[in-house]
Amino acid sequence: YLFSVFGKLEGISFARNKGIHFILLGTNTLHRIAPQLESAVGIPFVHIADAAAREIENSLIGKVGLLGTKYTLTEDFFKQRLIDRGIEVLIPGDEDVEAVNDIIFRELCVGEIRAESRKRLRGVIDRLAGRGAGGVILGCTELGLIIQPEDSPVPIFDTTVIHARRAVELALES
């Protein structure tokens, strides 16, 4: 299912008639188009933020930090879905937002894993935990390449893993 640069969804009628039970969009930032996608399809859309919220709710953590691209951190398409479910979301400061965004696009997206970037991300996580975050969401599919649970003083919620796990659960229910 393609979202073209012209803003048109293609291939949706195929999904409706071929026994597809749900769809996923395997990227956090592109969930910016989730409302258009949800309104265009006649089958359930598994939103990555909803899957994360479900996992966070099950952990009984009420306040989390969010890491991701600048768009995921500064726009509401991801965090508002958590807020609507009663989860408080902390965003890094402006300098850290830019640093995380740069690490994602200039390094992780091109396959580079740097020790100094891991250290920088650990510092961002520590600052979020210091502000009261009981957990940290890796709200970018690439962040799991560089950050592991042992890199954080609080639980990590990796949206890539959570989203995939939710898809498997739904597939087994179908």
Side-chain angles (χ1 to χ4, degrees):
Y1 312 100
L2 305 173
F3 185 76
S4 76
V5 293
F6 303 107
K8 295 181 181 179
L9 292 166
E10 302 168 6
I12 299 303
S13 60
F14 173 82
R16 290 183 183 144
N17 299 317
K18 298 296 179 188
I20 297 172
H21 298 280
F22 59 88
I23 61 171
L24 299 126
L25 183 58
T27 168
N28 289 271
T29 300
L30 284 182
H31 273 72
R32 297 168 79 190
I33 67 160
Q36 296 95 319
L37 187 58
E38 288 174 306
S39 68
V41 298
I43 57 175
F45 176 74
V46 183
H47 197 291
I48 200 164
D50 294 340
R54 183 172 178 262
E55 188 115 350
I56 293 162
E57 289 168 341
N58 288 340
S59 75
L60 304 177
I61 293 173
K63 185 188 293 188
V64 294
L66 176 60
L67 298 180
T69 66
K70 179 176 14 179
Y71 311 103
T72 301
L73 298 179
T74 60
E75 297 178 18
D76 288 336
F77 64 89
F78 187 100
K79 61 187 168 192
Q80 191 60 51
R81 291 181 89 106
L82 279 71
I83 293 166
D84 289 346
R85 292 174 72 153
I87 300 167
E88 188 176 344
V89 181
L90 300 176
I91 303 301
D94 292 344
E95 186 177 311
D96 284 339
V97 167
E98 291 299 328
V100 172
N101 195 69
D102 285 347
I103 291 167
I104 291 167
F105 286 113
R106 293 185 182 173
E107 298 172 28
L108 301 178
C109 285
V110 296
E112 292 183 25
I113 310 290
R114 298 181 185 167
E116 64 270 15
S117 295
R118 179 177 287 112
K119 183 177 178 183
R120 177 71 194 256
L121 290 170
R122 285 177 176 167
V124 175
I125 292 169
D126 287 344
R127 285 186 284 286
L128 289 167
R131 291 173 44 205
V136 173
I137 300 170
L138 301 183
C140 176
T141 53
E142 285 79 18
L143 286 171
L145 298 171
I146 194 167
I147 295 296
Q148 299 299 310
E150 60 270 14
D151 295 312
S152 175
V154 295
I156 293 289
F157 297 93
D158 184 339
T159 57
T160 303
V161 174
I162 292 167
H163 204 212
R165 187 179 310 127
R166 184 68 182 135
V168 170
E169 290 170 359
L170 290 170
L172 293 173
E173 292 172 8
S174 299

